[in-house]
Amino acid sequence: MTIFLTGISTVEAESSGDECLTAVIEDISPSSVGMDEEFTVGISLENCGTRVPEEITFEIISIPPDIIVTEDLVAYIPKFVYQGSERQLRYHMRTTPDANPGPHIIKMKLTYGNEDAKRTTYYEVEVVVTGEHAEPRISSVKTDPEYIYEGDTVDLKLGIENFGDAIAKSVSVSLYHEFKGIKNSTIGTLGLNGTQTALFKFKADSSGELEIPVIINYEDDFGKQKDEYDIKITVLDKKGSLNLASVKVDPVLPYMDDTVELTMRIENSGDRTINSIRVYADHPFKGLKESFIGTLDPNEDGPAVITFIANQEGEYEIPVTITYIDDFGEEQIETNISLIVMEKSGGAGMAVFVLIVLAVIGGLVYNNYRTKKSKDEIIKQLMEGGATPIDKKEQ
């Protein structure tokens, strides 16, 4: 607290002789004061003339609302005892709990002299109340989901922490973006080193690297304040996506105890490279259940081959889990594959099927035999130096 004492003198009537009285600051205790603190102001009335002043009145005529005076505002002194005497006045004061930091003016008036010659001097005491600044800042940014894609509804949490030396009151946080959603959050009061969370919700309907202005409004010892910060949020255009493009079972209709080769083609239909692709088929048979593909670039596909022995007949819905890692962590895709395992049978239907297969095989063998025999004759004639069958025919 700093105090300055200035005075302006007015003369109401001329007096005979040299009559003079002045007010000066004697002491200030303590020398610095904040809000809701007590202090005293000592003022000394000193005779500065050759005559002894009389009919002295010193009074406080104006007090700021932030300061309370606990003494009587008017002090009356009939007459100084002798020419060089002084009179001390001490005022006990205090600042209010919500006092505004900065200068505060206390106005005082000194009046002395008899009715024939009365003098009045006005004084102003400037009291500077010290204060502290609050400093609410963004301490953390969290989104749910953690990785945001175009079209996602996002829960945004901003941790707001007070790094200042004063309490932050009436704290509110506002976002300035073009998305639809909740853009304002009221926190209330933030104590020293206090932390609270401002909650927001919006729909990310466009992708890109976004820089969102954040405005924090609050009040501290110096009144209403406004600070501006920026947060950065990335909205992705779409996820890397794997699809089960095709399924092949060899044989198509396996019989019990057949060795089955299940081939699933996995396609990357997204726009990002996907790594560490694994396919797990939870079948009940003896054999392999997992196949590792590795990496697939955008619009690339690869086979996952699983071999097993179909040692049980029946119809099955086999759960298939595809796990992979893209730029943003591990993901899973779950689906099902239908499989029918036939029971072995020796009936007429089976016999017809076998005959058809044998006939096909016989035709293939005969065709292969004719082709092989023709090739053997050509090779034999070439080795003997003879003509080809076409040459003989032309002769």
Side-chain angles (χ1 to χ4, degrees):
M1 175 187 66
T2 305
I3 297 183
F4 303 96
L5 189 61
T6 59
I8 301 174
S9 179
T10 63
V11 179
E12 295 183 358
E14 294 295 332
S15 62
S16 59
D18 187 6
E19 189 177 30
C20 176
L21 186 66
T22 186
V24 297
I25 296 175
E26 186 177 57
D27 63 15
I28 306 164
S29 181
S31 59
S32 178
V33 66
M35 296 176 297
D36 197 23
E37 291 185 2
E38 295 182 353
F39 63 98
T40 61
V41 177
I43 295 177
S44 177
L45 303 181
E46 299 178 359
N47 184 10
C48 53
T50 58
R51 294 183 59 184
V52 176
E54 57 186 36
E55 300 296 332
I56 303 163
T57 302
F58 188 85
E59 60 182 308
I60 297 175
I61 59 175
S62 178
I63 309 168
D66 303 45
I67 296 176
I68 299 171
V69 181
T70 58
E71 308 289 347
D72 289 336
L73 300 183
V74 180
Y76 175 70
I77 304 169
K79 185 178 181 179
F80 271 18
V81 178
Y82 52 88
Q83 179 181 337
S85 65
E86 298 179 357
R87 181 67 181 265
Q88 280 75 38
L89 302 175
R90 183 167 297 277
Y91 291 92
H92 290 80
M93 305 181 184
R94 70 175 299 118
T95 55
T96 60
D98 58 349
N100 293 319
H104 298 71
I105 303 298
I106 301 175
K107 295 182 178 182
M108 302 176 177
K109 182 174 74 170
L110 173 62
T111 304
Y112 62 95
N114 55 32
E115 294 296 331
D116 296 332
K118 187 176 290 292
R119 294 175 179 268
T120 301
T121 306
Y122 293 91
Y123 296 91
E124 289 185 353
V125 177
E126 183 181 272
V127 179
V128 180
V129 179
T130 61
E132 301 292 346
H133 284 285
E135 193 177 351
R137 299 203 310 254
I138 299 171
S139 58
S140 64
V141 180
K142 295 182 179 179
T143 62
D144 184 16
E146 182 178 359
Y147 301 106
I148 306 170
Y149 295 91
E150 184 177 345
D152 283 350
T153 297
V154 181
D155 290 315
L156 172 63
K157 297 180 180 180
L158 298 183
I160 308 298
E161 183 174 354
N162 184 7
F163 291 89
D165 297 319
I167 296 173
K169 296 172 287 187
S170 303
V171 182
S172 64
V173 186
S174 300
L175 301 182
Y176 288 85
H177 57 71
E178 297 180 355
F179 300 136
K180 295 180 180 179
I182 299 173
K183 298 182 180 181
N184 301 293
S185 179
T186 300
I187 291 178
T189 300
L190 267 179
L192 301 181
N193 302 315
T195 301
Q196 291 197 44
T197 302
L199 304 176
F200 305 91
K201 184 185 287 288
F202 61 89
K203 185 172 183 178
D205 53 10
S206 63
S207 62
E209 189 85 15
L210 307 176
E211 191 169 277
I212 300 176
V214 180
I215 304 296
I216 302 178
N217 291 284
Y218 62 98
E219 294 182 17
D220 61 7
D221 294 350
F222 295 90
K224 294 183 178 181
Q225 309 291 337
K226 181 173 73 172
D227 295 336
E228 182 173 347
Y229 304 92
D230 291 315
I231 60 172
K232 291 184 178 180
I233 292 178
T234 300
V235 179
L236 305 171
D237 47 4
K238 64 176 181 178
K239 296 182 180 180
S241 179
L242 288 183
N243 297 314
L244 186 57
S246 65
V247 178
K248 179 182 177 183
V249 180
D250 186 19
V252 177
L253 289 175
Y255 286 88
M256 193 169 63
D257 295 329
D258 280 352
T259 298
V260 179
E261 186 177 83
L262 174 63
T263 302
M264 294 170 282
R265 297 204 69 84
I266 309 301
E267 180 184 24
N268 178 7
S269 60
D271 58 357
R272 301 178 186 275
T273 298
I274 299 178
N275 304 305
S276 302
I277 303 170
R278 293 179 181 272
V279 181
Y280 182 83
D282 192 16
H283 60 74
F285 310 119
K286 295 179 180 180
L288 299 177
K289 292 189 176 184
E290 187 176 46
S291 178
F292 180 75
I293 294 178
T295 299
L296 287 178
D297 292 327
N299 300 317
E300 184 182 16
D301 64 76
V305 181
I306 294 175
T307 304
F308 54 86
I309 298 174
N311 57 341
Q312 304 176 46
E313 58 89 18
E315 297 183 10
Y316 299 92
E317 285 289 326
I318 300 175
V320 175
T321 302
I322 305 170
T323 61
Y324 63 93
I325 298 175
D326 60 13
D327 294 341
F328 309 101
E330 185 174 287
E331 299 285 346
Q332 280 192 351
I333 298 173
E334 294 182 351
T335 186
N336 292 302
I337 291 177
S338 298
L339 178 68
I340 299 176
V341 179
M342 306 290 290
E343 182 182 2
K344 283 188 176 181
S345 174
M350 184 62 182
V352 171
F353 177 76
V354 171
L355 289 175
I356 294 173
V357 172
L358 290 176
V360 172
I361 294 174
L364 293 174
V365 170
Y366 174 73
N367 182 65
N368 182 65
Y369 169 77
R370 289 188 60 190
T371 303
K372 184 175 183 300
K373 182 178 180 181
S374 175
K375 289 180 180 179
D376 288 344
E377 289 179 354
I378 294 171
I379 292 171
K380 182 178 179 182
Q381 290 177 12
L382 289 173
M383 290 181 67
E384 293 176 350
T388 63
I390 297 176
D391 295 334
K392 290 181 179 181
K393 184 175 182 180
E394 290 178 348
Q395 291 175 354

